[in-house]
DNA sequence: AATGTCCATCGTCGATCAACGATGAGAGGA
DNA sequence: TCCTCTCATCGTTGATCGACGATGGACATT
């Protein structure tokens, strides 16, 4: 599958949509959680990178950050746990992309502070 | 400077506006900092309380949260350090209010994630 | 002057974060 | 098969957070 690596639908959204189930979480707590996920410069960078390109392989992220691979993986894990990001396995690589509904939720909650 | 006493009971904005000097801080770092300030449910509650009422005495905040006074004071300190909130001494009390330009900045940065 | 109220700060303790190297699991390519 | 590449996870270390009680300072009232 040599064609798989650079081919797989240039701007493809690799990730299936997640319906973002929010169990009994108040929106205050949800805002706090999402804010916490964004509360680190490296994670802001990662998030922006994933937004700019529609999806992104983990290795590219590591390549652009002055951090060890394991550290980047940790940040990605935090972003995934927050729901802002999801990742799908694509062969030996892992493709990450933004969970847009969750990002929208964050934006709505922050915009609602007024 | 005459009546800066405790008579200012009404919805007075007790706080002078701060020009929010952001020296060499990238907007990614700024977003991370502001997000960190919001990244706790108690601080979200405090922020919303300060937004709802135009200003708020510290004691009222303590009265509405299930936390010790010292803990609330810590959260207020974090919010102040982030620039999202400012506090002015008004006699024996301390009046807190939201720094609207900074809140607006947070909203702009989050809304810019797209 | 003495007292009471309001709030910030200190010191502490357990929990979590942030970073790293090392190791391991999967998927291809040789 | 064996090896390489990619990524997640483990284990560790130092720093920071989050909570509390206790202390102390500034101010108003007595």
């Amino acid at each position: 599958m040599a064609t798989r690596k650079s081919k797989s639908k240039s701007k493809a959204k690799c990730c299936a949509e997640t319906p973002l189930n929010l169990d009994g979480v108040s929106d205050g707590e949800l805002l706090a959680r999402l804010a916490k996920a964004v509360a680190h410069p490296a994670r802001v960078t990662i998030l922006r990178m994933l937004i700019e390109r529609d999806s992104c392989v983990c290795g590219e992220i590591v390549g652009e950050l002055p951090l060890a691979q394991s550290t980047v993986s940790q940040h990605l894990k935090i972003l995934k746990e927050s729901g802002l990001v999801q990742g799908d396995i694509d062969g030996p690589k892992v493709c990450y992309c933004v969970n847009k509904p969750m990002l929208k939720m964050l934006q709505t909650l922050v915009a609602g502070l007024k």
Side-chain angles (χ1 to χ4, degrees), chain A residues 11-40:
Chain A
K11 56 176 11 176
K13 33 203 308 105
C14 54
C15 313
E17 305 290 339
T18 312
L20 64 95
N21 56 343
L22 288 0
D23 34 327
V25 192
S26 72
D27 60 345
E29 276 183 55
L30 180 58
L31 173 52
R33 274 192 209 177
L34 296 177
K36 196 171 191 173
V38 186
H40 192 286

Side-chain angles (χ1 to χ4, degrees), chain A residues 1-8 90-92:
Chain A
M1 286 52 166
T3 60
R4 181 59 171 263
K5 68 158 103 176
S6 60
K7 197 93 149 256
S8 71
D90 179 19

